[in-house]
Amino acid sequence: MSKATILRTEGLTKRFGGLVTTNRVNFELKEGEIKALIGPNGAGKTTFYNLITGVYKPDEGRITFMDEDITRLPPHEICRKGIARTFQITSIFPKLTVYENVRLAAQVGFGRGVSAFRESSTLKAVNEHVANILEAVGLADLRDRVSAEISQGDQRLEEVAIALGSRPKLLLLDEPTAGLSATETWLLVEKIKELYNTGIIKNIIFVEHDLEVVTGLAHNICVLNYGEVVKDGCVDDVCNDPGVQEVYLAGGKVNATEG
């Protein structure tokens, strides 16, 4: 029995003047899949994310999420539909505590704004959800620390926690290991695997330049170059494809079974 498609794009195209940054991209994420989106700088990866999350509107094409057309929905509605995103540059409120940052996202996930008159049962549910997320990502002991004062690696984990706070069905990670040490990188990779294996988040797309991270985490890979899909398939097929090596790996061969 084939798995359901969580996210699909059909002919997705975005132009900025005469520059085509996303050119008729057909992309699918199946249920329960971790999929990497890779390619050289300027390949169109960030534009693709911005189209999925409603930051940009496509000039052509269609985006379907959970069998619903979300092509022209604004970002806040797409978030409420169940798509959450982290950013390459850390995006948190630095003066708030770890707990406060995650709680703001959790209020969105429970469909409530900030109000002094919310039902106590809802407040309790939000607080329990935040506590569970912080425990899951390994930040429970840092919950009362000001976010600007924790390490870069912990800030990345906090961003993941913030994204999970809205109870998403799909998590988009944008270069989650950027700026991290080797130790911090693999701690984050293992934590993402743990979140997936425990069912906290089962549908993930991530942009990443580190091929060891890609092959260590992804089930499948989609390669973009000049806004077009070069290859889309399983890790071994993609990493050993001559065309991928030419455009992305500068001719260097990658053995996907290493690392």
Side-chain angles (χ1 to χ4, degrees):
M1 181 177 178
S2 61
K3 293 183 178 180
T5 298
I6 296 296
L7 179 77
R8 175 184 285 115
T9 71
E10 300 169 89
L12 201 61
T13 301
K14 182 64 181 177
R15 304 182 187 91
F16 293 95
L19 178 66
V20 182
T21 57
T22 306
N23 189 13
R24 301 194 59 79
V25 170
N26 297 323
F27 178 96
E28 282 191 352
L29 181 77
K30 296 293 187 180
E31 183 178 6
E33 183 180 9
I34 302 177
K35 190 164 188 174
L37 185 66
I38 70 172
N41 289 333
K45 304 182 297 295
T46 297
T47 299
F48 182 77
Y49 265 19
N50 285 335
L51 289 167
I52 296 300
T53 54
V55 176
Y56 297 154
K57 299 296 183 286
D59 295 303
E60 298 173 20
R62 186 168 180 255
I63 306 166
T64 306
F65 176 62
M66 306 283 288
D67 294 325
E68 182 178 355
D69 191 328
I70 63 167
T71 308
R72 301 202 171 273
L73 293 182
H76 69 277
E77 288 191 27
I78 290 175
C79 180
R80 289 188 184 278
K81 295 290 184 184
I83 299 179
R85 175 186 181 181
T86 69
F87 294 84
Q88 180 181 354
I89 299 174
T90 303
S91 180
I92 57 179
F93 292 105
K95 294 184 179 180
L96 296 184
T97 66
V98 172
Y99 182 88
E100 289 167 341
N101 265 294
V102 180
R103 193 176 187 280
L104 286 174
Q107 289 170 175
V108 174
F110 279 79
R112 302 292 183 115
V114 178
S115 170
F117 302 101
R118 282 175 295 168
E119 300 90 334
S120 60
S121 59
T122 300
L123 287 170
K124 182 179 179 181
V126 170
N127 291 337
E128 288 180 350
H129 177 60
V130 174
N132 290 338
I133 291 297
L134 291 177
E135 183 69 33
V137 301
L139 293 179
D141 292 342
L142 299 179
R143 56 172 283 160
D144 296 322
R145 289 279 301 277
V146 174
S147 296
E149 298 176 354
I150 65 176
S151 71
Q152 179 73 7
D154 286 335
Q155 287 183 6
R156 289 293 185 183
L157 286 171
E158 182 181 354
E159 282 199 300
V160 173
I162 290 169
L164 294 176
S166 62
R167 302 195 293 182
K169 300 178 182 70
L170 170 60
L171 178 62
L172 307 179
L173 302 173
D174 193 353
E175 296 198 33
T177 69
L180 300 186
S181 68
T183 298
E184 289 173 328
T185 292
W186 289 106
L187 284 173
L188 180 60
V189 168
E190 290 305 312
K191 183 56 65 176
I192 293 170
K193 287 181 180 179
E194 182 181 327
L195 293 169
Y196 175 84
N197 290 332
T198 56
I200 291 175
I201 184 70
K202 295 297 291 185
N203 307 296
I204 301 172
I205 303 171
F206 70 102
V207 170
E208 183 58 60
H209 283 289
D210 188 326
L211 261 293
E212 286 191 48
V213 173
V214 170
T215 58
L217 187 57
H219 300 142
N220 292 290
I221 302 174
C222 178
V223 185
L224 290 180
N225 193 39
Y226 295 112
E228 298 182 352
V229 175
V230 175
K231 182 78 173 180
D232 192 330
C234 72
V235 172
D236 287 324
D237 286 348
V238 170
C239 288
N240 292 308
D241 182 88
V244 173
Q245 293 172 10
E246 181 179 354
V247 301
Y248 182 71
L249 304 174
K253 187 176 178 63
V254 168
N255 186 338
T257 63
E258 292 181 358

